[in-house]
Amino acid sequence: MKLHPMEDRIVVRPAESEERTASGLVIPDTAKEKPQQGEVLAVGPGRRAEASGEIIPLDVKVGDRVVYSKYGGTEISVDGEDLLILSSRDVLAKVEK
Amino acid sequence: MKLHPMEDRIVVRPAESEERTASGLVIPDTAKEKPQQGEVLAVGPGRRAEASGEIIPLDVKVGDRVVYSKYGGTEISVDGEDLLILSSRDVLAKVEK
Amino acid sequence: MKLHPMEDRIVVRPAESEERTASGLVIPDTAKEKPQQGEVLAVGPGRRAEASGEIIPLDVKVGDRVVYSKYGGTEISVDGEDLLILSSRDVLAKVEK
Amino acid sequence: MKLHPMEDRIVVRPAESEERTASGLVIPDTAKEKPQQGEVLAVGPGRRAEASGEIIPLDVKVGDRVVYSKYGGTEISVDGEDLLILSSRDVLAKVEK
Amino acid sequence: MKLHPMEDRIVVRPAESEERTASGLVIPDTAKEKPQQGEVLAVGPGRRAEASGEIIPLDVKVGDRVVYSKYGGTEISVDGEDLLILSSRDVLAKVEK
Amino acid sequence: MKLHPMEDRIVVRPAESEERTASGLVIPDTAKEKPQQGEVLAVGPGRRAEASGEIIPLDVKVGDRVVYSKYGGTEISVDGEDLLILSSRDVLAKVEK
Amino acid sequence: MKLHPMEDRIVVRPAESEERTASGLVIPDTAKEKPQQGEVLAVGPGRRAEASGEIIPLDVKVGDRVVYSKYGGTEISVDGEDLLILSSRDVLAKVEK
């Protein structure tokens, strides 16, 4: 199964969480939510500008590693893998490795 | 009875839920809502651009399989079948089978 | 008494509810609200486009049968008959009989 | 005292309520609010279009009988008479007698 | 001290309240708030149109008697007198005496 | 340390509060908040118009005495002095001494 | 790891807090939140104007010291250092040292 995101949406594979320590203990969440990282698997064509109706292409592309707001996305399970569909506006930054 | 959606609305037939296991047990919902899939049965002509008033055609067509936000649609029963009327903005992605 | 709706409003005569079974028992509402159907009795001239001020004509006409969101309208009693004044944006779809 | 409404506001004299039965008993309000009728006593010049700044004239005039949303207006007592100042957007329909 | 209101703001001197009866008793507020009247003491140059940036002059002038929404203004004490700074959008109507 | 406000923001030095009486007693706040006065110490270049992107210069300048809404600003301590950073939209009026 | 902020976002390294006294005691937060200072480490290309779609370049640059609203940013840990991703709209002022 392959997802083709609509408008300015993207599909992201969340990075392995590092909240699990070497010994396997789960570190409890702190009160302050932290953003998440992931890899971009698919991107939409872009949303239309409100006034002109022209399509604004996305600034992220397939393969980019991104930091995104934890609150923006929608979880979806594809072939047993948990992915996220995000608006590209929920992407805070691209990460250069 | 046949539905002709207005503006950017679409009619979707929700896919069979897979929340029922092989043995017939219902798996309780997790706290985190998951999006739904379905098949597009009818599409509206598109909504008008705010500024120009021009009609923006939809990016989904009859027969598309879509992933949509669970919170967006309105349920309607047509000839004994439960369908959904969604805004096309509630469609997150098209699914390629 | 005759109603002339303003802007993009329409007057709808709600269809006979089918929530009453053959034996006359009232079926209690389920938690999930369902849209309603009705017949369009009157339509306004259309609202003005935000930017240009031009009037956008309505896509429904007198005699259309429509499905509408239950939450949008205002009830009004005209000559002893319960009617609804809706914004045309609350119309989800036209119904072809 | 005479009121000159600003922008798209109008002054309405609410019609005699018919919630009082022939025998003088007050019928309690139902849970569902119903719109009100009244006569237009004064109209403003119209509001300015957001983009062009041009004044959009009102579609109601002095003497019109209108149905309006109960929630929109502000009560004002003028020479001992209870009137309402409404935005013309709160007018749902004109009534032809 | 003299106030020069910014943008579309105006300075209003509230009229003597008539909520005090001849015998000096204070009549308790009813549940429904009523608008207030007052005299315009100063007016701003007008706010800028969102799109064009042009200044839209006010429709009220110094000396006008206005009815205004009780919820809009900010109280300010000038030389021992309690005045109000309102947006001109909170003015409902001008009063002709 | 010197502050250069961004966009339409300004830096204000709040006037000495007069809520302390001659005998040094603190007068308790009334339920109704009153606006504050202060002196403008620095002004930003102005914000950009939504549509055209042009910069709209501010209507206040360094040295102006202004009345501002108590709820708008952000407190900042500069060299031991408590100042406020406000949006110029929170300025209600200029005061002529 | 290097962050490239999207649109009008910036990456800020918060200044050393001065809430810790010389003797090492933590001073409790006052009820009134104060803004924070920091150094700009990276800036995005700017967001697009709503109407024209043109990119509006940022008014802050790498190396600027800024005062920002405490409520706007998202915390992110980069190579063991706690940084913030902010919208440039959350920057209140630039600081000249």
Side-chain angles (χ1 to χ4, degrees):
Chain A
M1 188 172 102
K2 196 165 180 305
L3 292 175
H4 298 280
M6 303 291 289
E7 300 191 352
D8 72 338
R9 292 192 183 86
I10 64 174
V11 178
V12 168
R13 176 190 289 131
E16 287 295 315
S17 173
E18 295 164 29
E19 286 173 26
R20 195 170 279 273
T21 62
S23 59
L25 293 175
V26 174
I27 298 168
D29 285 354
T30 58
K32 190 99 183 188
E33 282 298 337
K34 291 200 170 51
Q36 305 273 333
Q37 290 185 41
E39 186 192 344
V40 178
L41 299 186
V43 300
R47 66 180 178 91
R48 289 172 190 276
E50 201 68 43
S52 66
E54 272 178 84
I55 288 181
I56 304 170
L58 297 194
D59 293 326
V60 291
K61 60 181 193 304
V62 172
D64 279 353
R65 189 173 183 85
V66 292
V67 174
Y68 53 87
S69 165
K70 202 177 187 170
Y71 299 110
T74 309
E75 287 183 353
I76 180 169
S77 179
V78 177
D79 301 335
E81 188 180 26
D82 287 334
L83 302 179
L84 272 175
I85 304 179
L86 293 174
S87 164
S88 66
R89 300 186 205 186
D90 291 322
V91 175
L92 301 174
K94 285 188 275 194
V95 181
E96 193 184 308
K97 280 157 289 188
Chain B
M1 188 172 103
K2 197 165 180 304
L3 292 175
H4 298 281
M6 303 291 289
E7 300 191 350
D8 72 338
R9 292 191 182 87
I10 64 174
V11 178
V12 169
R13 175 190 290 131
E16 288 294 316
S17 172
E18 295 164 28
E19 285 172 28
R20 196 170 278 272
T21 62
S23 60
L25 292 175
V26 175
I27 299 168
D29 285 355
T30 58
K32 190 97 183 188
E33 282 298 337
K34 291 200 170 50
Q36 306 272 333
Q37 290 185 41
E39 187 193 344
V40 178
L41 298 187
V43 301
R47 64 179 178 91
R48 289 173 190 276
E50 200 68 42
S52 66
E54 272 178 82
I55 288 182
I56 304 170
L58 297 194
D59 293 326
V60 291
K61 60 182 193 304
V62 172
D64 280 353
R65 189 174 183 85
V66 293
V67 174
Y68 53 88
S69 165
K70 202 177 188 169
Y71 299 111
T74 309
E75 287 182 354
I76 181 170
S77 179
V78 176
D79 301 335
E81 188 180 27
D82 287 333
L83 303 179
L84 271 175
I85 303 180
L86 293 173
S87 164
S88 68
R89 301 186 205 185
D90 291 322
V91 175
L92 302 174
K94 284 187 274 195
V95 181
E96 193 183 307
K97 280 156 287 189
Chain C
M1 188 172 103
K2 198 164 180 305
L3 293 174
H4 298 279
M6 303 291 289
E7 299 191 351
D8 72 338
R9 292 191 182 88
I10 64 174
V11 178
V12 169
R13 176 189 290 132
E16 287 296 315
S17 173
E18 296 164 27
E19 286 172 28
R20 196 170 279 271
T21 62
S23 59
L25 292 175
V26 175
I27 299 168
D29 286 356
T30 57
K32 190 96 183 187
E33 282 297 338
K34 291 200 169 51
Q36 305 273 334
Q37 290 185 41
E39 186 192 344
V40 177
L41 298 187
V43 301
R47 65 179 178 92
R48 290 172 189 275
E50 200 68 43
S52 67
E54 272 178 83
I55 287 182
I56 304 170
L58 297 195
D59 293 326
V60 291
K61 60 182 191 304
V62 172
D64 279 354
R65 189 175 184 84
V66 292
V67 174
Y68 53 87
S69 166
K70 203 176 187 170
Y71 299 111
T74 309
E75 287 183 353
I76 180 169
S77 179
V78 177
D79 302 335
E81 189 180 26
D82 286 334
L83 302 179
L84 271 174
I85 303 179
L86 292 173
S87 164
S88 68
R89 302 188 205 185
D90 290 323
V91 175
L92 302 174
K94 284 187 275 194
V95 180
E96 193 183 307
K97 281 157 286 189
Chain D
M1 189 171 104
K2 197 164 180 303
L3 292 174
H4 298 279
M6 303 291 289
E7 300 192 351
D8 72 337
R9 291 190 182 89
I10 64 174
V11 178
V12 169
R13 175 189 291 131
E16 288 295 315
S17 174
E18 296 163 28
E19 286 173 27
R20 196 169 280 270
T21 63
S23 59
L25 293 174
V26 175
I27 298 168
D29 285 356
T30 58
K32 190 97 183 187
E33 282 297 339
K34 291 201 169 50
Q36 306 273 335
Q37 291 185 41
E39 186 193 343
V40 178
L41 299 187
V43 301
R47 65 179 179 90
R48 290 172 189 277
E50 200 68 43
S52 67
E54 272 177 83
I55 287 182
I56 305 170
L58 297 195
D59 292 327
V60 290
K61 60 183 192 302
V62 172
D64 279 353
R65 189 175 183 84
V66 292
V67 174
Y68 53 88
S69 166
K70 203 176 186 169
Y71 299 111
T74 309
E75 288 182 353
I76 179 169
S77 179
V78 176
D79 302 335
E81 189 180 26
D82 286 334
L83 303 179
L84 271 175
I85 303 179
L86 292 173
S87 164
S88 67
R89 302 188 205 185
D90 291 322
V91 175
L92 302 173
K94 284 186 276 194
V95 181
E96 192 184 309
K97 283 157 285 189
Chain E
M1 189 171 104
K2 197 165 180 305
L3 292 175
H4 297 280
M6 303 291 289
E7 300 192 351
D8 72 337
R9 291 191 183 87
I10 63 173
V11 178
V12 169
R13 175 189 292 131
E16 288 295 315
S17 174
E18 297 163 27
E19 285 173 29
R20 196 170 280 270
T21 62
S23 59
L25 292 175
V26 175
I27 298 169
D29 286 355
T30 57
K32 190 98 182 187
E33 282 297 339
K34 291 200 170 50
Q36 306 274 333
Q37 291 184 40
E39 186 193 345
V40 177
L41 299 187
V43 301
R47 64 179 180 90
R48 290 173 188 276
E50 200 68 44
S52 66
E54 272 177 83
I55 287 182
I56 305 170
L58 296 194
D59 293 327
V60 290
K61 60 183 192 303
V62 171
D64 280 354
R65 189 174 183 84
V66 292
V67 174
Y68 54 87
S69 166
K70 203 175 186 170
Y71 299 111
T74 309
E75 287 182 352
I76 179 169
S77 180
V78 176
D79 301 335
E81 189 180 27
D82 286 334
L83 302 179
L84 271 175
I85 303 180
L86 293 173
S87 164
S88 67
R89 301 188 205 184
D90 291 323
V91 175
L92 301 174
K94 284 187 276 194
V95 181
E96 192 184 309
K97 283 158 285 188
Chain F
M1 188 171 103
K2 197 164 180 306
L3 292 175
H4 298 279
M6 304 290 289
E7 300 191 351
D8 72 338
R9 291 191 183 86
I10 63 173
V11 178
V12 169
R13 175 190 291 131
E16 286 296 316
S17 173
E18 296 163 28
E19 286 173 27
R20 195 170 281 270
T21 62
S23 59
L25 292 175
V26 175
I27 299 168
D29 286 354
T30 58
K32 191 96 183 187
E33 282 298 339
K34 292 200 170 50
Q36 305 274 332
Q37 291 184 40
E39 186 193 344
V40 178
L41 299 187
V43 301
R47 66 179 179 89
R48 290 172 189 276
E50 201 67 44
S52 65
E54 272 178 84
I55 287 182
I56 304 169
L58 297 194
D59 293 327
V60 291
K61 60 183 193 302
V62 172
D64 279 353
R65 190 174 183 83
V66 292
V67 174
Y68 53 88
S69 165
K70 203 176 187 170
Y71 300 111
T74 309
E75 287 182 352
I76 180 169
S77 179
V78 176
D79 302 335
E81 189 179 27
D82 286 335
L83 302 179
L84 272 175
I85 303 178
L86 293 174
S87 165
S88 67
R89 300 187 206 185
D90 291 323
V91 176
L92 301 174
K94 284 187 276 194
V95 181
E96 192 184 308
K97 281 158 289 188
Chain G
M1 188 172 104
K2 196 164 180 307
L3 292 175
H4 298 279
M6 303 291 289
E7 299 191 352
D8 72 338
R9 291 192 183 87
I10 63 174
V11 178
V12 169
R13 176 190 289 131
E16 285 296 316
S17 172
E18 296 163 28
E19 287 173 26
R20 195 170 280 270
T21 62
S23 60
L25 292 175
V26 174
I27 298 167
D29 285 354
T30 59
K32 191 98 182 187
E33 282 298 339
K34 292 201 169 49
Q36 305 273 333
Q37 291 184 40
E39 186 193 345
V40 177
L41 298 186
V43 300
R47 66 179 178 90
R48 289 172 189 275
E50 201 68 43
S52 66
E54 273 178 83
I55 287 181
I56 304 169
L58 296 194
D59 293 326
V60 291
K61 60 182 193 303
V62 172
D64 279 353
R65 189 172 183 84
V66 292
V67 174
Y68 53 88
S69 165
K70 203 176 187 170
Y71 299 110
T74 309
E75 287 183 353
I76 180 170
S77 179
V78 175
D79 301 335
E81 189 179 26
D82 286 335
L83 302 180
L84 272 175
I85 303 179
L86 293 174
S87 165
S88 67
R89 300 186 207 186
D90 291 322
V91 175
L92 301 174
K94 285 188 274 194
V95 181
E96 192 184 308
K97 280 157 290 188

